[in-house]
């Protein structure tokens, strides 16, 4: 799968350009904040960090044809006023934009470890082109999810179109069989508990029941008699009869009037819901930086796709939400941005944190 456009370089040309732009940089043990163009910064990181980064989250400009500003250096206010300070400008023609992202993605792939993952946050205008570019660079087999992120409350635009409440996140692994994935789950809320666990026992605990048998016949213990019964045809006991006896003694098997046994499952012992590919993480109502993303979303991504010893990288760091989330979870991080406003916000946000900082 390939997408062609004017000005598309070969990978060889891009890697050679990276080599020519490499700047001296130290091998840093801890976290690292770099100010400068991220192509140059990533090129300079490559000699030390190739195949060492477990998690990359990027939220590049979406090619919105806008200039994002903050007012009077006060990063608490976002404004489109003429005299406001420019945080960053987001205006390129589409091929130029696609190539800008592609050049960086090629370097990011080189930095990813074998168990690494990349999450790219984008909107639906450019997203489909970038998905094809990511298939080219990371391999369609390593594509994991196209996540719909609900970014705001419903809108009531006058435009002749449906309200736009979502953007997307493309999630790829460097190697589809090896990516760190910690199976982070979401705790059930009260509504879930009421919906999923309709029964209440004498101690006031919510529960439901599941069959004592599961599909598939076996010849072993789980296919033998229990309480004078064999499992129904085509099924086997969920666990061996001795275990079922134990559950029964503990009162964890409910027998119906017709003597049909079912295993009790309690709401307070539920391990949480698997996270699906529609995420409800709206952006902060009072952002400190234009297009600042939800910190909880970033903490979830980092908990899911990195380990304690992982390095997390964001080369479009903006307000530093990814860096702060990584710091909160005890991970090392590398942040890059070229905007003075961004760097000020990041440094204010991480002022109690140890990291190396330099301009590239
Ligand atoms: C959409 S914002 C990121 C917002 C961030 N995710 C947050 O939560 O605050 C994109 C950022 O990319 C930065 N940026 C754009 N082009 C860049 C480049 N070539 N090198 C470094 N940073 C760049 C901009 O300065 C801007 O801060």
């Amino acid at each position: 799968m390939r997408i062609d456009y004017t000005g598309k370089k070969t990978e060889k040309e891009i890697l050679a350009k990276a080599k020519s732009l490499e700047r001296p940089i130290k091998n840093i043990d801890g976290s690292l904040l770099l100010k400068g163009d991220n192509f140059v910064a990533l090129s300079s990181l490559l000699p030390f960090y190739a195949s060492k980064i477990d998690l990359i989250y990027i939220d590049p400009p979406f090619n919105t044809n806008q200039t994002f500003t903050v007012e009077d250096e006060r990063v608490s206010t976002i404004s489109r006023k003429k005299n406001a300070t420019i945080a960053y400008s987001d205006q390129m023609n589409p091929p130029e934009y696609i190539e800008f992202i592609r050049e960086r993605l090629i370097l990011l792939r080189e930095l990813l470890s074998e168990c690494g993952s990349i999450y790219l946050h984008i909107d639906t205008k450019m997203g489909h082109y970038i998905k094809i570019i990511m298939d080219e660079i990371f391999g369609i087999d390593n594509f994991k999810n196209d996540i719909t992120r609900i970014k705001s409350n419903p809108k009531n635009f006058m435009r002749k179109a449906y309200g736009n409440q979502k953007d997307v996140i493309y999630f790829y692994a460097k190697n589809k069989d090896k990516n760190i994935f910690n199976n982070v789950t979401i705790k059930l809320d009260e509504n879930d508990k009421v919906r999923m666990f309709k029964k209440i026992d004498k101690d006031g605990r919510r529960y439901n029941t599941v069959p004592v048998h599961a599909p598939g016949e076996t010849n072993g213990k789980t296919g033998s008699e229990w309480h004078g019964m064999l499992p129904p045809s085509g099924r086997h006991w969920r666990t061996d009869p001795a275990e079922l006896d134990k559950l029964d003694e503990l009162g964890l098997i409910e027998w119906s009037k017709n003597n049909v046994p079912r295993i009790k499952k309690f709401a307070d012992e539920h391990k949480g819901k698997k996270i699906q590919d529609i995420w409800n993480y709206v952006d902060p109502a009072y952002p400190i930086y234009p297009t600042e993303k939800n910190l909880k979303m970033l903490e979830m991504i980092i908990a899911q796709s990195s380990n304690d010893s992982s390095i997390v990288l964001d080369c479009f760091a903006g307000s530093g939400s990814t860096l702060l989330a990584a710091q909160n979870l005890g991970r090392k991080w590398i942040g890059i941005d070229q905007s003075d406003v961004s760097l000020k916000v990041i440094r204010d946000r991480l002022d109690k944190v140890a990291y190396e900082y330099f301009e590239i």
Side-chain angles (χ1 to χ4, degrees):
M1 200 88 72
R2 259 183 74 84
I3 179 168
D4 275 315
Y5 48 86
T6 321
K8 186 170 183 181
K9 300 181 201 68
T10 63
E11 280 208 9
K12 210 169 153 199
E13 284 170 326
I14 291 169
L15 292 168
K17 176 175 157 191
K19 195 92 201 120
S20 74
L21 290 174
E22 225 178 271
R23 304 265 172 85
I25 189 175
K26 285 183 283 175
N27 187 12
I28 306 285
D29 268 347
S31 296
L32 179 58
L33 180 60
L34 297 174
K35 177 170 189 286
D37 171 64
N38 49 17
F39 187 85
V40 178
L42 294 171
S43 306
S44 312
L45 289 171
L46 266 173
F48 302 103
Y49 293 95
S51 305
K52 292 213 173 124
I53 308 292
D54 286 344
L55 175 60
I56 296 169
Y57 167 88
I58 54 168
D59 169 32
F62 293 176
N63 209 22
T64 53
N65 204 22
Q66 289 184 55
T67 298
F68 291 92
T69 57
V70 291
E71 204 178 331
D72 303 330
E73 304 286 351
R74 279 164 47 229
V75 289
S76 57
T77 319
I78 290 173
S79 134
R80 306 245 157 89
K81 282 187 188 163
K82 282 205 179 95
N83 61 352
T85 307
I86 294 177
Y88 68 97
S89 160
D90 184 16
Q91 292 165 322
M92 289 185 201
N93 67 48
E96 196 187 345
Y97 175 77
I98 296 169
E99 187 65 356
F100 166 82
I101 300 291
R102 178 171 165 265
E103 283 188 328
R104 283 146 183 88
L105 286 176
I106 287 170
L107 303 191
L108 290 170
R109 180 195 61 204
E110 299 301 302
L111 288 166
L112 266 189
S113 70
E114 266 308 286
C115 58
S117 306
I118 178 164
Y119 290 70
L120 182 144
H121 205 140
I122 190 92
D123 74 1
T124 48
K125 196 170 112 233
M126 294 312 294
H128 301 88
Y129 301 101
I130 299 300
K131 165 75 173 60
I132 299 175
I133 290 292
M134 293 186 86
D135 285 345
E136 269 182 37
I137 296 174
F138 297 98
I140 196 163
D141 284 352
N142 293 317
F143 167 67
K144 294 278 178 177
N145 285 108
D146 167 342
I147 294 152
T148 294
R149 199 273 306 220
I150 310 293
K151 62 178 178 176
S152 63
N153 294 324
K155 290 173 186 158
N156 208 7
F157 290 147
M158 293 312 286
R159 251 187 245 149
K160 291 186 180 183
Y162 301 104
N164 166 235
Q165 242 193 303
K166 69 152 198 249
D167 49 26
V168 293
I169 300 172
Y170 298 126
F171 165 33
Y172 284 73
K174 176 77 172 277
N175 177 329
K176 68 174 186 336
D177 299 319
K178 296 193 176 160
N179 63 302
I180 300 170
F181 198 79
N182 295 320
N183 274 311
V184 172
T185 54
I186 309 177
K187 274 193 180 160
L188 299 185
D189 62 24
E190 272 319 303
N191 289 338
D192 294 326
K193 287 183 185 166
V194 171
R195 184 174 45 79
M196 292 165 58
F197 298 88
K198 296 208 182 331
K199 300 183 174 191
I200 300 179
D201 75 1
K202 61 177 176 12
D203 301 319
R205 290 175 79 197
R206 281 199 169 271
Y207 73 100
N208 64 13
T209 59
V210 296
V212 282
H213 42 73
E217 279 184 13
T218 61
N219 293 324
K221 286 185 184 169
T222 56
S224 61
E225 261 194 17
W226 176 63
H227 268 265
M229 305 177 277
L230 283 171
S233 157
R235 299 181 71 88
H236 66 281
W237 302 123
R238 270 181 198 276
T239 176
D240 82 54
E243 279 304 310
L244 289 176
D245 278 339
K246 276 191 207 156
L247 292 178
D248 204 11
E249 272 164 36
L250 292 168
L252 296 176
I253 293 201
E254 187 171 79
W255 294 84
S256 75
K257 279 184 216 140
N258 304 331
N259 238 13
V260 177
R262 286 175 71 88
I263 300 173
K264 288 178 168 179
K265 296 279 178 189
F266 288 93
D268 53 20
E269 288 172 355
H270 194 274
K271 293 201 170 60
K273 292 185 285 187
K274 170 115 183 138
I275 299 178
Q276 304 296 312
D277 61 0
I278 300 182
W279 295 359
N280 215 326
Y281 286 106
V282 301
D283 286 334
Y286 300 101
I288 51 174
Y289 189 77
T291 68
E292 178 190 344
K293 298 297 178 291
N294 186 309
L295 186 66
K296 291 284 164 226
M297 175 185 79
L298 290 158
E299 287 178 347
M300 191 280 281
I301 292 173
I302 291 166
Q304 188 71 277
S305 291
S306 72
N307 291 331
D308 290 351
S309 59
S310 296
I311 306 176
V312 177
L313 183 145
D314 182 348
C315 63
F316 292 94
S319 65
S321 308
T322 312
L323 318 181
L324 182 60
Q327 183 71 35
N328 290 346
L329 272 80
R331 310 298 198 254
K332 282 181 196 162
W333 47 263
I334 300 178
I336 307 166
D337 206 290
Q338 64 186 8
S339 154
D340 289 324
V341 180
S342 149
L343 266 294
K344 182 177 181 322
V345 175
I346 295 175
R347 302 199 75 182
D348 285 351
R349 261 181 131 180
L350 293 166
D351 70 333
K352 305 245 167 5
V353 169
Y355 61 87
E356 293 269 348
Y357 168 75
F358 51 97
E359 297 182 13
I360 201 138

